[in-house]
Amino acid sequence: MTTYKEFHARSIADRDAFWAEQARLIDWHTPPTATLDYSRPPFAKWFVGGTTNLCHNAIDRHLATRGDQAALIYISTETGEEKTYTFSQLYREVNRFAGILKGQGVGRGDRVLIYMPMIPEATFAMLACARIGAIHSVVFGGFASVSLATRIDDAQPKLIVSADAGSRAGKPVPYKHLLDEAIKLAQHPPQKVVMVNRGMAEMPLVAGRDLDYGRLRGEHMNDEVPCEWLESSEPSYILYTSGTTGKPKGVQRDTGGYAVALATSMPQIFCCHPGETFFCTSDIGWVVGHSYIVYGPLLAGCATILYEGTPLRPDAGIWWSIVEKYKPTSMFSSPTAVRVLKKHDPALLKKYDLSSLRLLFLAGEPLDEPTARWISDGLGKPIIDNYWQTETGWPILAIPRGIEALESRFGSPGVPSAGYDVRIFSEVDGSEVGNNQKGVVAIEGPLPPGCMTTVWGDDERFVKTYWNSVPNRMVYSTFDWGIRDDDGYFFILGRTDDVINVAGHRLGTREIEESISSHANIAEVAVVGVADQLKGQVAIAFAVVKDPARIATPELRRAHEGDVMKTVDSQLGAVARPARVHFVTVLPKTRSGKLLRRSLQALAEGRDPGDLTTIEDPTALDQIRAALSF
Ligand code: ATP
Ligand code: MG
């Protein structure tokens, strides 16, 4: 038995041998001639000379051993549909889709933009692209025309795959007019558009450009499309970051490194094994969906659940009823989603048979202790926080239970995953800091397999954005602020933008938020630093209360504000006390559930809130404005 420490140390010190071993987890058409080419840092080329294919590894490879086993389990509580595709059936559908794409002249290296709801055809399209060597760029179905148009212009797809409509809380959300509008706005419109008709909304086809998927599928029923063998470093996809901190960056992912990284992470981190079922509640529009709804589980020979719907319909027990029925062994969700459930009856967590489920993974934003405890106690299952970015494609920090069952620590996503040489650097002079000292979380180059290889079409932006914070060293900055304890556990304290300076004291907004959310009546809170003539900056909090009766009158409100401030005083000291605590019913978030802190800060400083194309609920900002002027 290797311990985690030995395992991780070897992944860094004996990097080439370590990854050469891991590379055996996938099929290669031609084996790599070298494990890593890092002759042009920070550009890392993994498994040089090896040729492989993601779709082959996700589907074809399993046909002989598990062709009749479930591969894709589709559940829609929006339409009531439920359908399981075996590996063989998935193989057939993906070949049809690949045939359609080839028929439209799409080939190796061409981009295909996928703007789709959570329906099986979206995964067919992704896997079909992978099969023929086309580069997919999935754009979250909730985005509107402007966000879509900027992504069209950046990726310049030859073809777009879309559908008539998505659905949210039982109401169709038509896509076609948004898509048409985006194509009109774009400088580089696609030649063809393939439309999946769900029969939910009008879908007028533009002659000469738009094609009906159902009709094309009929023409390609019996297609068998061979896999295109790509050199390991050839791009598999482009995915834009969430845009929490500004203009989204087109993350370019390779093929071989990504396949190997995901294949290792399934048993090592997510403890899911061939023949088992994985349930990830994310969306294919996000990196978590790419890695752990589509590629990761299938590469590992697992069935994956594709869920279209909210966590609340028909009631807040829906996910647990799915666990009872389909028996996933691992589940992956987000703290935001758990906070949504937390507003509902905890008895629903106990209503279903969850005996198949071993672990619940949560990622995407800081996991506060009350939320982690609530879900862990409610389900009676361990919660595994994990920390990563669109850029990295798989966890930087986690508890690798498949290697060693290290204990979890509340507030910490855990320890570095294989190949991640994670360090903390001083924000002031770029020097490395010791244990228990705050600084910027960074990764010593090269990034391990699976991570971004560059910014799509802009190598210079890749170097300038990520590799410039530590002088004379090739170090990737996460732009998150963190700390490592004496046992090697990391704690993420917030984004580097979120550090505020109050009268010379450097404070993390995350720490203040943690403190405020420990107050019994606070459901959620955001803290931002706001310019102040006297102190440089002060902290301002926006909080959502659990019991609105306690802030029903201006007097109660003031008293409650004082009460919240007292909590911070007693936990962090008066220096961290927010200058104001404003109460709202909703916080402005991106569609992926992340706080739009920059917009909050801008409003609090009387500035323009900036690019809001990724905001979930625009009215959230009206509440902030009202609270500020109150
Ligand atoms: P952009 O880079 O465009 O501003 P984004 O950073 O929100 O967008 P993502 O790549 O989706 O886009 O998010 C990664 C970030 O999410 C991390 O850098 C970190 O700030 C936060 N994050 C993810 N997981 C965790 C976690 N387990 N704990 C704390 N923070 C997390
Ligand atoms: Mg980011």
Side-chain angles (χ1 to χ4, degrees), residues 111-134:
R111 273 82 59 211
V112 173
L113 190 142
I114 299 174
Y115 177 61
M116 297 276 266
M118 289 282 282
I119 54 176
E121 289 79 1
T123 55
F124 305 160
M126 290 169 77
L127 290 158
C129 286
R131 190 167 191 86
I132 64 170

Side-chain angles (χ1 to χ4, degrees), residues 241 245 249 389 391 478 495:
T241 59
T245 55
K249 301 164 277 277
Q389 306 183 307
E391 289 87 342
T478 63
R495 297 169 187 251

Side-chain angles (χ1 to χ4, degrees), residues 192-212:
K192 296 285 174 196
V193 175
V194 173
M195 294 294 301
V196 176
N197 191 355
R198 310 175 72 188
M200 289 169 64
E202 290 285 299
M203 190 188 86
L205 298 182
V206 174
R209 186 193 75 187
D210 297 355
L211 304 157
D212 182 81

Side-chain angles (χ1 to χ4, degrees), residues 343 516 521-527 540-549 551 557 560-561 564 580-589 595 600 603 617-630:
K343 294 180 186 146
I516 293 177
N521 195 37
I522 300 296
E524 217 181 340
V525 62
V527 172
I540 302 282
F542 298 90
V544 179
V545 293
K546 287 181 191 155
D547 176 11
I551 53 163
R557 226 167 229 266
H560 204 48
E561 183 174 2
V564 170
R580 288 300 312 270
V581 181
H582 297 289
F583 298 109
V584 291
T585 59
V586 57
L587 293 169
K589 291 188 178 174
L595 259 174
L600 272 179
L603 286 178
D617 175 0
T619 67
L621 287 181
D622 300 337
Q623 280 204 33
I624 301 296
R625 286 194 189 93
L628 285 165
S629 62
F630 185 64

Side-chain angles (χ1 to χ4, degrees), residues 40 126 205 277 293 502 523 555:
R40 201 167 63 95
M126 290 169 77
L205 298 182
T277 299
I293 295 176
V502 182
E555 292 71 37

